[in-house]
């Protein structure tokens, strides 16, 4: 019976289910084997979770990447549609970022991107989702927030970035500004459409 339980647990694992292993039996070879497999399952599960996180994380800034925004933001939007709660997105772009790269080099440009991401995070709530969408563009999904509330947050982000130049080794502070577009989700609107409207507002800004 214990051997059948062990084999069933392995079959469940093969199917992608979390196995229930007989690890509390008598101290013999079968229990040792079950405990070893249980440790292996835990290790593989942790590595799988780490790989999934890396796949949706921007390695430079540590915030979500475009794929993470699509996955996590899409879930937020579906929940908002289900329960009738407001959700708003911000799309921000660092102004004239190419000039920073051309003047100071890409290494300093990377520092500016990390700095800007940190300033976004320091202004947002824990429930808000921030992503680097590519290049110098950032996107944020704000659940339980209407457009008026999100506009105030966008203005705080814009102000704090303008007021927080990056200090570099040469002693020359690098200032940058950001433009941000804001759009509140309409009923049953998908994330692609919502981001597109925020992007249009960004270009207007």
């Amino acid at each position: 019976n214990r051997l059948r339980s062990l084999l069933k647990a392995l079959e469940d694992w093969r199917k992608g289910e979390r196995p229930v292993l007989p690890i509390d039996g008598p101290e013999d070879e079968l229990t040792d084997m079950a405990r070893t497999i249980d440790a292996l399952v835990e290790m593989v599960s942790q590595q799988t979770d780490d790989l999934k996180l890396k796949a949706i994380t921007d390695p430079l800034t540590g915030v979500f990447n475009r794929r993470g925004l699509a996955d996590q933001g899409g879930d937020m939007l579906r929940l908002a549609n289900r329960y009738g709660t407001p959700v708003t997105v911000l799309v921000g772009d660092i102004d004239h970022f190419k000039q920073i790269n051309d003047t100071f080099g890409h290494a300093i440009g990377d520092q500016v991107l990390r700095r800007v991401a940190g300033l976004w995070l320091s202004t947002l709530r824990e429930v808000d989702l921030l992503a680097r969408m590519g290049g110098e563009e950032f996107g944020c999904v704000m659940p339980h927030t209407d457009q008026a509330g999100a506009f105030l947050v966008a203005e705080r982000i814009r102000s704090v970035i303008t007021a927080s130049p990056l200090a570099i080794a040469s002693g020359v502070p690098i200032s940058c500004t950001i433009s941000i577009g804001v759009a509140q989700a309409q009923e049953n609107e998908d994330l692609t459409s919502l981001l597109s409207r925020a992007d249009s507002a960004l270009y207007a800004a």
Side-chain angles (χ1 to χ4, degrees), residues 51-195:
L51 288 173
K52 287 179 179 178
L53 183 59
K54 287 180 180 178
I56 60 174
T57 302
D58 173 49
L60 178 64
T61 61
V63 301
F64 285 108
N65 58 18
R66 182 178 286 274
R67 177 178 174 181
L69 180 69
D71 291 348
Q72 306 294 317
D75 290 343
M76 285 182 172
L77 193 55
R78 282 187 287 273
L79 282 174
N81 284 328
R82 179 184 302 173
Y83 295 109
T85 56
V87 60
T88 305
V89 301
L90 312 178
V91 176
D93 193 277
I94 300 174
D95 301 321
H96 312 297
F97 184 70
K98 184 177 183 298
Q99 292 182 9
I100 295 175
N101 277 334
D102 291 346
T103 303
F104 299 99
H106 289 277
I108 297 298
D110 287 349
Q111 290 186 42
V112 170
L113 289 170
R114 286 192 290 267
R115 172 76 165 174
V116 167
L119 293 171
W120 274 80
L121 289 173
S122 70
T123 309
L124 297 171
R125 305 165 299 178
E126 288 188 8
V127 296
D128 298 327
L129 186 155
L130 177 65
R132 181 184 172 210
M133 300 173 65
E136 65 274 21
E137 189 173 50
F138 292 85
C140 175
V141 181
M142 303 184 66
H144 304 285
T145 307
D146 61 16
Q147 182 159 320
F151 190 88
L152 294 175
V153 174
E155 178 58 22
R156 285 201 298 270
I157 293 168
R158 190 200 64 76
S159 297
V160 74
I161 289 174
T162 301
S164 306
L166 174 70
I168 60 175
S170 67
V172 178
I174 300 176
S175 298
C176 66
T177 60
I178 191 168
S179 299
I180 302 175
V182 182
Q184 181 177 340
Q186 300 171 350
E187 187 175 358
N188 296 321
E189 184 175 22
D190 62 30
L191 186 62
T192 300
S193 170
L194 180 56
L195 286 171

